[in-house]
Amino acid sequence: DVKVTQSSRYLVKRTGEKVFLECVQDMDHENMFWYRQDPGLGLRLIYFSYDVKMKEKGDIPEGYSVSREKKERFSLILESASTNQTSMYLCASSMPGGWGEQYFGPGTRLTVT
Amino acid sequence: EDQVTQSPEALRLQEGESSSLNCSYTVSGLRGLFWYRQDPGKGPEFLFTLYSAGEEKEKERLKATLTKKESFLHITAPKPEDSATYLCAVELGNTDKLIFGTGTRLQVFP
């Protein structure tokens, strides 16, 4: 079974802090994704990566950056956290060509105060 | 504008009461349509992929169908363990991305 793990289930940070969210997958998937999920807005893509050191902006990249130094690990960075970044953050991975068949982690609920 | 709309937003069913969830889409080019299940506090879990109108997929009490404008997720004789939010997503033909609907929250009561 594909397993995608995220570093924290719950996180509380203060405005202006730098926040790191880590995601690890164990199935050797090329593609990895970061989403945020908000009530009434659904899942929105922040960034994705189709290979090590490659990254592409999604629909809402402002205020975020990513890092993919190893194939199995994809990190999301909030450079200076703001209250409007309070959300559920979901990481996912998929095989090449299997863009729609994504495997998700359990999510990190981030609260910025 | 590419859009995916799910209805209803919420659905309450009695155990054994069959029903359907709808996912309608207006996109410039459809490469595939995907259904996911999401339990509270968890990430979505992949269920089905549909690629062309007329295609059907089944898994236990769930059956997904696709037309040129919408997809249905039929739930036959649901059980309380089918309670979850069901998400659909569309993969656009000209970009490598998915557009997710906002989901239907299904509650099945014994």
Side-chain angles (χ1 to χ4, degrees):
Chain A
D1 280 351
V2 176
K3 192 167 182 183
V4 180
T5 57
Q6 296 183 228
S7 49
S8 306
R9 292 301 308 273
Y10 301 94
L11 211 51
V12 180
K13 296 292 182 180
R14 293 192 180 275
T15 301
E17 280 193 84
K18 192 168 186 175
V19 182
F20 293 87
L21 302 181
E22 300 239 309
C23 174
V24 177
Q25 51 95 3
D26 67 358
M27 282 302 291
D28 205 33
H29 282 173
E30 275 75 10
N31 304 324
M32 295 190 75
F33 310 83
W34 274 106
Y35 294 89
R36 62 178 284 177
Q37 185 174 33
D38 300 287
L41 296 178
L43 279 98
R44 292 179 292 167
L45 182 64
I46 305 171
Y47 268 97
F48 65 98
S49 168
Y50 51 87
D51 203 351
V52 176
K53 296 194 184 294
M54 307 300 288
K55 60 184 179 184
E56 296 286 341
K57 293 181 180 178
D59 297 315
I60 50 165
E62 297 77 20
Y64 303 94
S65 62
V66 290
S67 172
R68 192 162 180 205
E69 297 296 318
K70 293 185 177 181
K71 190 176 186 179
E72 67 271 19
R73 190 178 298 268
F74 193 33
S75 301
L76 179 70
I77 302 144
L78 286 67
E79 298 291 341
S80 177
S82 64
T83 55
N84 63 12
Q85 292 179 310
T86 292
S87 186
M88 170 70 89
Y89 288 89
L90 290 158
C91 174
S93 70
S94 75
M95 295 174 61
W99 212 259
E101 188 174 333
Q102 296 183 13
Y103 294 85
F104 285 82
T108 295
R109 183 162 296 282
L110 173 67
T111 302
V112 183
T113 62
Chain B
E1 183 188 350
D2 298 315
Q3 199 165 5
V4 177
T5 304
Q6 290 188 247
S7 61
E9 287 187 17
L11 183 62
R12 292 163 58 98
L13 297 174
Q14 203 71 31
E15 184 172 3
E17 179 187 2
S18 301
S19 188
S20 296
L21 313 183
N22 178 263
C23 172
S24 64
Y25 56 91
T26 52
V27 297
S28 50
L30 176 74
R31 188 178 291 175
L33 187 141
F34 308 88
W35 283 98
Y36 286 82
R37 170 192 171 127
Q38 186 174 22
D39 292 299
K42 296 187 177 181
E45 176 187 350
F46 170 78
L47 291 173
F48 301 113
T49 304
L50 300 165
Y51 288 113
S52 56
E55 190 175 359
E56 297 183 352
K57 292 279 180 70
E58 281 189 70
K59 181 179 180 180
E60 296 179 356
R61 294 175 293 282
L62 301 177
K63 182 168 82 171
T65 62
L66 181 64
T67 72
K68 287 187 177 179
K69 292 186 177 180
E70 59 193 347
S71 176
F72 292 94
L73 185 65
H74 307 278
I75 303 177
T76 303
K79 298 182 177 182
E81 53 262 41
D82 294 322
S83 297
T85 295
Y86 291 85
L87 303 171
C88 76
V90 167
E91 182 180 357
L92 301 185
N94 58 350
T95 66
D96 290 329
K97 66 183 216 178
L98 295 184
I99 299 177
F100 279 86
T102 54
T104 293
R105 189 175 73 255
L106 173 66
Q107 292 178 290
V108 182
F109 295 92

